[in-house]
């Protein structure tokens, strides 16, 4: 049940970071640059959300005065930052290469693949949590 809760919280975090908060980052900037300010802020939103989710779960399962839960929290948050940045950057490269717009069916197919890649990361984080920190 704990892992299902962790995964569910990560999915809620993802929806908020990818759809609710990302709207404030629209317009301007160089979309093709891996380390653009917008991409970094968006990936940081995800990392901070992931850190919050893991803090909530770890505070129930671990003694937060110890170093190990904090190592878990920061490791997963950094991993989420890097993977989210890379997945979104790759999606943007493909979108620009084929000049797909939001109105194109191919754009939405690619977006579905992008979202599946992000969800797969959450499966990885849950697996790491169970195998290394639970």
């Amino acid at each position: 049940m704990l892992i299902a809760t962790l995964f569910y919280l990560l999915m809620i975090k993802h929806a908020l970071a990818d759809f609710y908060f990302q709207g404030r980052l629209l317009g301007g900037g160089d979309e093709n640059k891996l380390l653009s300010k917008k991409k970094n802020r968006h990936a940081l939103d995800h990392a901070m959300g992931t850190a919050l989710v893991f803090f909530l779960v770890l505070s129930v399962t671990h003694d937060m005065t110890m170093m190990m839960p904090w190592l878990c929290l920061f490791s997963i948050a950094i991993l989420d930052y890097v993977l989210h940045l890379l997945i979104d950057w790759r999606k943007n490269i493909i979108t620009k290469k084929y000049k797909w717009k939001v109105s194109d069916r191919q754009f939405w197919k690619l977006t579905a693949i992008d979202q599946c890649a992000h969800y797969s990361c959450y499966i990885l984080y849950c697996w790491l949590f169970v195998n290394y920190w639970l």
Side-chain angles (χ1 to χ4, degrees), residues 54-114:
F54 271 86
F55 177 78
L56 293 171
V57 171
L58 286 163
S59 65
V60 172
T61 61
H62 290 73
D63 176 3
M64 294 304 287
T65 63
M66 304 300 286
M67 187 175 170
M68 191 55 95
W70 292 101
L71 179 63
C72 169
L73 184 151
F74 287 115
S75 298
I76 297 291
I78 291 168
L79 182 61
D80 193 37
Y81 173 84
V82 170
L83 291 177
H84 201 93
L85 190 66
L86 291 173
I87 291 166
D88 283 3
W89 175 64
R90 193 66 204 150
K91 176 189 173 197
N92 188 262
I93 296 265
I94 294 168
T95 301
K96 296 293 182 196
K97 178 180 178 179
Y98 295 106
K99 298 180 175 134
W100 292 336
K101 306 277 185 247
V102 175
S103 58
D104 294 326
R105 182 164 163 74
Q106 292 303 107
F107 173 86
W108 291 105
K109 288 179 180 179
L110 181 61
T111 298
I113 294 166
D114 165 83

